[in-house]
Amino acid sequence: MPDAQLDTIRWFHQVTLKDGRVTPGQVDIARHEHLYLFDRLELHGKSLLDIGCWDGYFSFMAEQRGARRVLSLDDPAFRWGGLDGYNFLHQHFQSTAEWRKGSIFELPDERFDVVLCYGVLYHLGDPLAAMINCFHAALQEVVFEGVIYDSDLPTLFLIAPHELDGDPTNVYAMSTGYLEKVAAMCGFARVDCQMRRYASTALRRFFRKASPRTDRAAMRFRRIADLTPNYRASCFSVPPKALLGRTAP
């Protein structure tokens, strides 16, 4: 795709190109990598799965930072915009990353050193099955980002259609305790958490009331054991990818 078509693409990610131009997306990811804990990942020589890749910012940056294999997974039918942005960047960066149409409920039959799941879980009706699939697919680390609120209780907060930012696809906010408990059942422990802070001063943050449906965070987990929860597949609206092998007590 020629560079002349840059402004005709419906971008989501702002990506700095080789000539210094920036794609006109909605989200300045490069300036906010720390909010996704992406800047803390050691990717050299690693394989990486980018679930919900959209325009592919994290896929291409992982590749540029030494990842030996990158698989970008998405389904444009479930979001606005198509593949033009990804295809443009793939050609522009002369990338070897692979794009594949797929679902978090039916991940590729392959395991990766690092799994990224950014901006996905809160759009799902069955986040538990989705998280188990992510953990099963990861050999070393998983990073989630989304509508996550700070609480030790393993709870979900139901979001009505259009309640959050007018978006009918938002379903659940979830607590940090929820993610940690699911991670533990899958043999992972938390190593990082980045909560977003919207108030401009410490005093405002102190008096700010928690609003689970609007809080955002990123959480990073590392594998410490080879476990799979012993839930029966019939318990899930969509069965987890795998319920085989060793089980959590």
Side-chain angles (χ1 to χ4, degrees):
M1 180 179 295
D3 284 6
Q5 298 186 32
L6 176 67
D7 293 331
T8 67
I9 297 172
R10 194 177 182 190
W11 295 95
F12 181 64
H13 293 152
Q14 293 180 22
V15 183
T16 302
L17 304 179
K18 292 186 293 185
D19 60 6
R21 290 179 301 163
V22 179
T23 60
Q26 296 185 7
V27 182
D28 184 1
I29 298 291
R31 194 163 61 91
H32 296 103
E33 280 191 0
H34 65 288
L35 296 178
Y36 297 82
L37 297 174
F38 187 70
D39 59 329
R40 303 186 189 181
L41 295 175
E42 173 52 58
L43 297 173
H44 187 77
K46 302 290 182 67
S47 60
L48 180 136
L49 174 63
D50 184 6
I51 301 173
C53 66
W54 208 291
D55 295 327
Y57 174 87
F58 295 108
S59 294
F60 300 125
M61 292 305 106
E63 186 178 46
Q64 292 179 26
R65 296 173 195 183
R68 61 176 173 80
R69 164 154 169 72
V70 175
L71 180 60
S72 310
L73 191 76
D74 210 337
D75 187 344
F78 291 100
R79 58 171 174 80
W80 56 262
L83 276 174
D84 287 347
Y86 186 94
N87 290 338
F88 176 95
L89 294 174
H90 195 279
Q91 179 178 333
H92 179 82
F93 291 124
Q94 298 180 310
S95 172
T96 60
E98 176 188 353
W99 185 90
R100 192 179 301 180
K101 182 178 180 180
S103 164
I104 196 171
F105 294 114
E106 197 170 355
L107 294 178
D109 189 17
E110 180 180 354
R111 303 184 81 183
F112 299 83
D113 296 317
V114 179
V115 173
L116 304 181
C117 183
Y118 293 150
V120 175
L121 291 181
Y122 60 99
H123 295 297
L124 307 177
D126 193 348
L128 176 58
M131 289 179 64
I132 291 173
N133 281 351
C134 290
F135 286 122
H136 176 77
L139 294 170
Q140 298 178 7
E141 294 188 319
V142 180
V143 189
F144 296 103
E145 187 279 337
V147 185
I148 300 169
Y149 53 95
D150 191 17
S151 172
D152 291 335
L153 296 175
T155 53
L156 296 175
F157 183 92
L158 181 63
I159 302 171
H162 304 284
E163 181 182 359
L164 177 59
D165 299 329
D167 188 341
T169 70
N170 297 322
V171 183
Y172 284 117
M174 55 200 66
S175 70
T176 53
Y178 181 88
L179 275 81
E180 288 181 1
K181 189 167 186 176
V182 179
M185 292 191 300
C186 296
F188 283 76
R190 187 180 93 172
V191 293
D192 257 327
C193 181
Q194 176 67 56
M195 299 295 300
R196 299 196 187 184
R197 302 299 183 186
Y198 297 100
S200 59
T201 67
L203 186 62
R204 287 176 62 191
R205 285 198 298 269
F206 180 80
F207 287 105
R208 176 176 175 265
K209 293 182 179 179
S211 180
R213 66 187 180 90
T214 58
D215 285 351
R216 290 192 77 104
M219 299 186 71
R220 175 183 169 200
F221 298 92
R222 183 170 296 148
R223 181 176 289 281
I224 58 174
D226 187 14
L227 301 175
T228 301
N230 57 351
Y231 289 120
R232 293 172 58 91
S234 59
C235 296
F236 291 80
S237 56
V238 179
K241 175 71 176 179
L243 293 171
L244 302 175
R246 296 176 60 191
T247 59

